[in-house]
Amino acid sequence: MSSYLVAALYKFVELPDFQAMQQPLFNFCEQQGVKGTLLLAREGINGTIAGTEPGIRAVLAHLRSDPRLAGLEHKESWAEEMPFYRLKVKLKREIVTMGVPDVHPPTMAGAYVSPEDWNQLIDDPNVVVVDVRNDYEVSIGSFRGAVNPHTTSFTEFPEWVREQSAEGGVLAGGSKVAMFCTGGIRCEKSTAYLRAQGFGEVYHLQGGILKYLETVPAEQSRWDGECFVFDERVSVGHGLAQGHYELCRACRLPLSPEDKESRYFEPGVSCPHCHDSHTEQQKSRFRERQKQVELALQRKERHIGERVEEKKRAAELAAQARLKEAQARKAAQKAGSKR
């Protein structure tokens, strides 16, 4: 069995004290040796973390000890190597950014469809099946016949809906719509948005693509390709087995084995997607970085990226400490002026 348990989780729930939750949650995860990214906002929590099985189970239990997160669901898979360099607990305005106010997934989201029932729904010719992920994610795998909105960020989705709801668009006439995404979180918000726009029959895949690939046997699957994931595994396939893609370290886009055969591919420096988008000076820096990475691997040392991330974290902590000191001085001065 692989060494690290990976847990993808989210929940839309009112967390007015989300700022106060940040540091205690970071401390607990750190104590358990867990890495990854967790996002906290007034509207809930979202993220993917990895660690030993006891460590992940402890963090999940810790989260669910908060009554508001008692029903938190997660999807899990295994990785042979730690898929994250460090731990981050970030504060956000939204746990998935659409940029549209007054969209409330807990009360407005579309109807859940289980992975077991998904094939029957999307086989219906009267259903418009929409992949709400970004274009580069869709490019390596999707459900057969699904519509690709060709968005580069989720904030572009409302405009796409507006355009496609007009005469001649795929959503014209109040279509029956089925949506899917990696883990389900985008669909919670996108289906809520469609319902707010007057769409009546809106559905989404419960647990997202990850749950489908985990649950539905490959021989019954309507999925083609692999599913992009936001960690060092890059992609997964049926049974959530690690896929065949790698990341371009210059542009962060997924690379297939064929991409790596391209004359434009240089490890750590360029790929077919970005070979003409960086200056020679940038490429020179990338080559030096790649050289250091390869030297670290030869010496069986930690990846250079991990040390960089640790430096970033130390800088962030120092900046936070300086801010607190400045706030304390300001408060003391204010208190002294009132005397």
Side-chain angles (χ1 to χ4, degrees):
M1 182 176 288
S2 300
S3 301
Y4 296 96
L5 181 60
V6 183
L9 58 96
Y10 77 90
K11 186 176 179 62
F12 283 101
V13 60
E14 282 292 318
L15 297 175
D17 59 337
F18 72 98
Q19 293 176 320
M21 296 170 63
Q22 181 186 29
Q23 195 60 50
L25 180 55
F26 180 90
N27 293 342
F28 189 88
C29 291
E30 193 172 50
Q31 290 166 8
Q32 301 301 322
V34 166
K35 296 182 180 180
T37 299
L38 292 170
L39 307 180
L40 293 170
R42 181 174 290 273
E43 69 177 8
I45 185 171
N46 176 30
T48 304
I49 52 177
T52 63
E53 183 172 6
I56 292 295
R57 301 288 180 218
V59 171
L60 293 173
H62 174 74
L63 289 170
R64 291 175 180 136
S65 67
D66 184 327
R68 299 168 299 182
L69 300 175
L72 178 72
E73 295 184 1
H74 76 283
K75 291 164 286 295
E76 58 185 52
S77 54
W78 292 89
E80 294 181 2
E81 298 180 356
M82 169 55 79
F84 298 104
Y85 289 135
R86 65 165 176 160
L87 171 66
K88 294 180 280 188
V89 180
K90 294 184 172 183
L91 302 179
K92 294 287 186 177
R93 290 184 179 179
E94 302 176 70
I95 55 174
V96 56
T97 303
M98 178 186 278
V100 178
D102 303 322
V103 175
H104 194 244
T107 59
M108 298 170 65
Y112 291 107
V113 179
S114 70
E116 294 83 358
D117 295 330
W118 183 249
N119 288 354
Q120 183 179 352
L121 175 66
I122 66 174
D123 286 347
D124 184 343
N126 296 315
V127 174
V128 179
V129 184
V130 180
D131 192 330
V132 299
R133 299 173 301 154
N134 292 335
D135 196 36
Y136 70 90
E137 299 170 72
V138 181
S139 69
I140 72 169
S142 190
F143 285 106
R144 296 165 206 161
V147 176
N148 177 7
H150 295 288
T151 56
T152 57
S153 81
F154 195 37
T155 56
E156 297 173 5
F157 181 76
E159 176 62 18
W160 180 83
V161 171
R162 187 190 67 78
E163 292 174 353
Q164 296 302 317
S165 297
E167 185 177 353
V170 296
L171 301 178
S175 307
K176 186 177 180 181
V177 183
M179 295 183 164
F180 63 93
C181 57
T182 307
I185 185 169
R186 280 195 178 199
C187 294
E188 296 266 5
K189 191 166 276 192
S190 60
T191 56
Y193 177 75
L194 253 67
R195 291 192 64 205
Q197 300 305 304
F199 285 78
E201 290 192 81
V202 186
Y203 305 86
H204 60 108
L205 176 59
Q206 187 170 19
I209 300 162
L210 295 179
K211 196 65 179 177
Y212 182 92
L213 294 177
E214 178 185 6
T215 306
V216 177
E219 59 272 16
Q220 299 174 18
S221 176
R222 303 293 192 274
W223 179 264
D224 286 331
E226 297 179 9
C227 178
F228 184 87
V229 290
F230 296 88
D231 58 57
E232 290 298 311
R233 294 172 300 168
V234 185
S235 67
V236 296
H238 284 94
L240 301 183
Q242 186 163 335
H244 301 90
Y245 285 79
E246 296 181 22
L247 280 184
C248 171
R249 298 298 168 178
C251 67
R252 306 296 294 177
L253 290 181
L255 300 176
S256 67
E258 292 75 22
D259 289 330
K260 293 170 63 180
E261 295 297 321
S262 167
R263 64 190 180 96
Y264 296 118
F265 174 68
E266 183 179 347
V269 179
S270 65
C271 75
H273 307 297
C274 70
H275 67 95
D276 58 354
S277 60
H278 295 111
T279 66
E280 285 304 316
Q281 185 177 13
Q282 288 174 315
K283 289 181 180 180
S284 178
R285 292 203 307 269
F286 296 161
R287 289 188 182 98
E288 181 58 32
R289 177 185 62 189
Q290 183 65 19
K291 178 182 176 181
Q292 296 304 317
V293 168
E294 291 171 359
L295 287 173
L297 290 174
Q298 290 173 10
R299 296 166 183 159
K300 296 183 179 181
E301 296 175 349
R302 289 181 303 168
H303 193 287
I304 187 71
E306 186 171 0
R307 296 200 297 274
V308 170
E309 294 293 350
E310 286 182 354
K311 289 179 180 178
K312 286 182 179 178
R313 178 60 186 165
E316 288 174 0
L317 291 173
Q320 291 174 5
R322 289 194 297 270
L323 178 60
K324 287 180 180 179
E325 289 176 4
Q327 290 172 336
R329 286 196 300 270
K330 187 175 180 179
Q333 291 170 357
K334 188 176 180 180
S337 66
K338 290 181 179 180
R339 292 174 183 169

